[in-house]
């Protein structure tokens, strides 16, 4: 007789064994998938860190490229001032018109002596003097130097030159005395026989009469050493990594020259690379093939780099750092993360294996009871989560990659004016309509492409019926019955936005009122702070500061003269130069402006900017004696903007300066009183971004009084 209990037990055991086998296979697959996901997540972290380095290196490359281009333009400005000198033009015109043997208005020795002295003064000021290559002897013989300034006539003959001016022949003659189209002459960096790296510039000189204006009567030529002033433009404040390096490179005939010194004591203009070689930073930067990437440097190290071309010369700036140093923290963090996640996966696998082994005990009935309990618990948890979601006042819903609802809380159903069960499985367009669905679908598509959260603010209506809703679009990569989706959480921020806008409007009205009062007490400086605010905002934007710092720079510029309310009117309108005590009283009154505004809830470092705007880059400012990057960047911006506007506008004791004069004075104080990066940003905005036209009113201020 067949034992029914045994048959039942055998059937139960076979069923349990099949279940256990399937469970083991599922555990193995899940473990493999989990390990893959761990490495995918770690790789996404690596890409994010690389993107952060791309931003950092690109900013440095842009800044240094602008600085190098500004250095080149500075050389042309120095020579341009000579070419426009009226006395020089007069003497050159006389020399060009007077035939040999005829009477002269002035003696040639006097003319050439004056011109030589003029060139010597400019060369000394602009850095065109260098040690001579021959010994100094007691004789009326010029020693040959590596740099200097010369004035040549239309035939290329030297009229006057600084002592020891190198000869203008060969490649030097072709580059500087016969440039294409007769405009600017440029002698690219080359090494002299003595081993000194030099560069040359030239500009045409026109006569003083109308008939001589069309054709140059000569050229002003300058040859100078490139160090140390050019190399100083490659120094980025705060970029202090052990393996970081900023290089200046040039593509030549089949090779790439390193124009700047390199690590390991490598001098400039040494160690050329093959211009066509792939994977090397120098050739890549010189060719302009890429703006950021991973490559190999001249020492064979793998590096991260960013490169930018120089507008004024056939050069490029390459900023690089060893990948090992740049990604050290990222690699360590990623290794730790992988280890932790793999450990977690291992613990889960161990737990599942324990459960699998427990299942081999063939207690199918107990396992079924356990699974039933788990199902009941899962259902209870689902009901609890539904209760929590429905208790939230903000709409929340999940859509899959096809835009169909997979979940929605009560607030979302009420917003859609439908019931929750009727939403599931339907598209956003069919529930909300095409117009309302468009703003969700665009953001959801971006989230699904990038895998990153997106935050959007939607405004509808105006004035009384204004409604502002902030929506957070969060990627969902592990839904219960779909692969990828997006969780949308909305929050009505109308009241907060209205309150913030009201507060900002009131603050701006207060600022305008204060400016009106200040301007009425100091007619010579009327609109000064408004102009400073305009320039400060433009410079901050040129430096790519974030929006909060841009607003802070503009607001501080507007409020910089509030302290004049504490200064007697007779001092503000004093017709002559002020004495030391009077200047101290005016300065102390203006400095009190920050204290008057200390309790105003500004956005950004407005008070810090007002307190530090009189600090100097070299640490000789006041009141705290801060130095360099210790000064908040907005204070450095406002200091340059204030000086620039003050130079342009006339005062009771002096006329206003021109744009060119103001730039020259700022450059002279750059690195001592002002941050070079801020001055470079102002000049770049003025010369290359339409600043002269935008700030024409500032320029007219010099002739308006």
């Amino acid at each position: 007789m067949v034992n029914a209990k045994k048959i039942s037990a055998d059937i139960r055991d076979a069923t349990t064994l099949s279940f256990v086998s399937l469970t083991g296979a599922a555990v193995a697959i899940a473990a493999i998938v989990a390990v893959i996901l761990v490495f995918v997540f770690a790789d996404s972290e690596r890409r994010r860190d690389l993107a952060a380095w791309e931003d950092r290196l690109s900013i440095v490359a842009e800044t240094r490229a602008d600085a190098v281009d500004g250095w080149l333009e500075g050389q042309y400005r120095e020579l341009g001032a000579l070419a426009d000198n009226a006395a020089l033009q007069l003497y050159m015109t006389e020399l060009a018109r007077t035939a040999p043997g005829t009477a002269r208005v002035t003696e040639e020795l006097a003319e050439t002596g004056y011109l030589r002295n003029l060139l010597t003064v400019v060369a000394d000021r602009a850095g065109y003097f260098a040690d001579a290559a021959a010994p100094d002897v007691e004789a009326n013989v010029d020693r040959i130097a590596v740099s200097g300034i010369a004035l040549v006539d239309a035939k290329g003959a030297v009229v006057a030159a600084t002592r020891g001016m190198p000869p203008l022949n060969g490649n030097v003659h072709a580059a500087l005395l016969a440039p294409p189209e007769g405009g600017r002459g440029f002698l690219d960096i080359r090494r002299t026989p003595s081993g000194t790296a030099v560069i040359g510039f030239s500009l045409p000189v026109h006569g003083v009469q109308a008939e001589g204006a069309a054709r140059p009567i000569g050229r002003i030529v300058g040859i100078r050493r490139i160090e140390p002033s050019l190399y100083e433009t490659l120094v980025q404040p705060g970029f202090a990594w052990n393996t970081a390096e900023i290089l200046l490179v040039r593509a030549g005939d089949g090779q790439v020259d390193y124009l700047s010194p390199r690590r390991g004591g490598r001098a400039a203009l040494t160690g050329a690379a093959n211009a066509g070689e792939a994977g090397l930073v120098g050739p890549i930067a010189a060719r302009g093939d890429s703006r950021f990437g991973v490559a190999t440097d001249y020492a064979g190290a793998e590096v991260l780099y960013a490169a930018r071309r120089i507008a004024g010369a056939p050069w490029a700036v390459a900023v690089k750092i060893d990948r090992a140093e740049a990604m050290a923290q990222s690699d360590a963090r990623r290794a730790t993360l992988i280890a932790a996640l793999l450990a977690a996966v291992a613990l889960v696998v161990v737990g599942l294996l324990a459960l699998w082994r427990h299942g081999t005990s063939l207690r199918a009935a107990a396992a079924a009871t356990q699974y039933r309990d788990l199902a009941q618990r899962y259902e209870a948890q689902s009901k609890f989560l539904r209760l929590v979601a429905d208790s939230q006042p903000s709409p929340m819903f999940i859509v899959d990659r096809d835009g169909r609802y997979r979940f929605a809380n009560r607030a979302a159903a009420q917003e859609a004016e439908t019931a929750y069960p009727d939403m599931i499985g339907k598209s956003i367009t069919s529930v909300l309509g095409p117009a309302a669905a468009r703003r969700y679908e665009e953001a959801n598509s971006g989230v699904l492409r990038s895998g990153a959260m997106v935050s959007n603010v939607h405004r509808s209506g105006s004035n009384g019926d204004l409604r502002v809703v902030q929506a957070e679009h969060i990627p969902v990569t592990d839904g219960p019955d779909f692969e990828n989706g997006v969780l949308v959480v909305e929050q009505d921020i109308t009241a907060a936005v209205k309150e913030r806008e009201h507060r900002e409007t009131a603050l701006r009205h207060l600022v305008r009122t204060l400016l009106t009062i200040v301007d009425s007490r100091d007619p010579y400086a009327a609109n000064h702070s408004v102009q400073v605010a305009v320039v400060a905002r433009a410079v901050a934007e040129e430096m790519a500061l974030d929006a909060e710092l841009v607003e802070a720079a503009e607001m501080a510029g507007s409020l910089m003269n509030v302290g004049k309310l504490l200064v007697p009117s007779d001092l503000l309108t004093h017709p002559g130069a002020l004495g030391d005590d009077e200047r101290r009283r005016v300065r102390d009154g203006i400095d009190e402006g920050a204290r008057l505004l200390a309790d105003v809830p500004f956005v950004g470092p407005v008070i810090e900017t007002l307190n530090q705007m009189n600090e100097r880059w070299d640490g000789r400012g006041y009141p705290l004696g801060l130095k360099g990057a210790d000064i908040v960047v907005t204070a450095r911006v406002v200091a340059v903007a204030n000086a620039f506007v003050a130079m342009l506008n006339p005062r009771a004791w002096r006329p206003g300066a021109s744009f060119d004069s103001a730039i020259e004075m700022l450059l002279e104080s750059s690195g001592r009183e002002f941050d070079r990066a801020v001055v470079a940003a102002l000049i770049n905005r003025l010369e290359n971004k339409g600043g002269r036209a935008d700030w024409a009113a500032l320029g007219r201020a010099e002739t308006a009084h």
Side-chain angles (χ1 to χ4, degrees), residues 314-339:
W315 306 340
V317 169
V319 182
K320 70 179 186 67
I321 182 173
D322 285 7
R323 185 198 178 283
E325 180 182 15
M327 301 296 288
Q329 293 183 354
S330 174
D331 291 341
R333 185 173 65 251
R334 190 162 60 254
T336 302
L337 177 63
I338 291 174

Side-chain angles (χ1 to χ4, degrees), residues 398-422:
I398 297 176
V399 294
D400 59 21
R401 65 184 309 146
D402 297 322
R404 295 189 300 267
Y405 283 100
R406 292 294 185 172
F407 170 83
N409 68 348
R410 182 180 292 113
Q414 292 174 348
E415 187 78 14
E417 298 181 353
T418 186
Y420 158 72
D422 296 336

Side-chain angles (χ1 to χ4, degrees), residues 248-378:
L248 190 63
V249 297
R250 172 183 66 197
D253 295 332
Q255 69 178 28
V256 171
D257 299 320
Y258 293 94
L259 302 179
S260 59
R262 294 169 290 156
R263 283 189 303 162
R266 298 175 175 90
L269 292 173
T270 60
N274 187 339
E277 188 167 353
L280 284 182
V281 172
I284 292 174
R287 293 194 304 265
D289 293 342
S290 175
R291 296 171 68 85
F292 173 81
V294 181
T296 303
D297 71 355
Y298 55 83
E302 186 180 31
V303 298
L304 307 181
Y305 74 91
R308 294 296 185 273
R309 298 297 296 271
I310 303 300
W315 306 340
V317 169
V319 182
K320 70 179 186 67
I321 182 173
D322 285 7
R323 185 198 178 283
E325 180 182 15
M327 301 296 288
Q329 293 183 354
S330 174
D331 291 341
R333 185 173 65 251
R334 190 162 60 254
T336 302
L337 177 63
I338 291 174
L341 292 177
L342 289 179
V345 171
L347 289 175
V348 172
V349 171
V350 169
L352 292 175
L353 289 176
L355 177 63
W356 176 80
R357 183 174 181 180
H358 178 68
T360 59
S361 64
L362 303 180
R363 291 180 295 180
T369 301
Q370 182 182 9
Y371 295 150
R372 183 171 59 252
D373 292 342
L374 289 174
Q376 292 174 352
R377 187 178 305 170
Y378 173 78

Side-chain angles (χ1 to χ4, degrees), residues 64-147:
R64 293 307 96 210
D66 287 343
V68 172
D69 193 62
W71 184 88
L72 290 171
E73 288 302 318
Q75 309 310 309
Y76 284 113
R77 281 195 298 273
E78 290 288 353
L79 297 183
L82 273 175
D84 294 336
N85 184 281
L88 181 146
Q89 292 175 342
L90 174 62
Y91 287 169
M92 282 294 294
T93 301
E94 290 182 357
L95 290 172
R97 290 180 176 179
T98 304
T102 60
R104 303 287 298 276
V105 176
T106 58
E107 291 298 328
E108 181 175 353
L109 289 178
E111 292 173 347
T112 56
Y114 171 83
L115 293 175
R116 180 169 184 169
N117 290 338
L118 176 61
L119 299 183
T120 300
V121 169
V122 174
D124 183 61
R125 182 191 66 205
Y128 279 80
F129 269 155
D131 294 332
D136 195 3
V137 297
E138 293 296 329
N140 190 21
V141 177
D142 285 349
R143 296 183 301 155
I144 302 301
V146 297
S147 63

Side-chain angles (χ1 to χ4, degrees), residues 468-652:
V468 184
V469 176
Q470 179 172 317
E472 305 291 340
H473 301 257
I474 305 166
V476 178
T477 58
D478 191 17
D481 57 352
F482 58 93
E483 294 181 359
N484 295 315
V486 180
L487 168 64
V488 180
V489 181
E490 292 188 318
Q491 183 178 6
D492 191 324
I493 59 173
T494 304
V497 170
K498 285 183 176 180
E499 173 62 23
R500 186 191 66 193
E501 292 178 349
H502 174 74
R503 187 166 60 249
E504 291 177 352
T505 300
L507 183 59
R508 292 193 176 275
H509 283 315
L510 173 61
V511 170
R512 283 198 294 270
T513 301
L514 288 174
L515 291 181
T516 300
I517 297 173
V518 171
D519 289 346
S520 68
R521 301 186 75 248
D522 187 0
Y524 282 106
N527 297 321
H528 176 84
S529 52
V530 173
Q531 295 170 354
V532 172
V534 170
V535 175
R537 182 181 186 90
V539 173
E541 290 174 344
E542 185 67 23
M543 296 177 67
L545 301 183
D546 61 45
E548 183 176 295
L549 292 178
V550 171
E551 294 294 333
E554 181 182 20
M555 182 63 72
S558 298
L559 295 170
M560 58 174 289
N561 287 327
V562 167
K564 286 185 178 180
L565 294 173
L566 304 176
V567 180
S569 298
D570 57 339
L571 288 182
L572 297 176
T573 58
H574 192 278
L578 299 176
D580 292 342
D581 184 63
E582 292 170 324
R583 284 198 300 271
R584 181 186 56 76
R585 292 173 62 191
V586 173
R587 188 187 73 180
D588 292 347
I590 294 176
D591 291 345
E592 285 294 302
R595 182 183 60 79
L596 296 175
L597 302 170
D599 295 330
V600 178
F602 291 107
V603 176
V606 176
I607 300 301
E608 293 88 339
T609 301
L610 293 174
N611 279 326
Q612 298 179 23
M613 61 177 288
N614 290 312
E615 303 289 353
R616 288 170 53 110
W617 183 257
D618 59 8
R620 297 182 179 181
Y622 70 92
L624 301 176
L626 298 178
K627 180 179 181 180
D630 292 338
I631 307 170
V632 66
V633 65
T634 48
R636 288 178 259 151
V637 169
V638 172
V640 172
N642 179 41
F644 180 67
V645 172
M647 293 172 186
L648 296 179
N649 284 284
R651 290 293 181 265

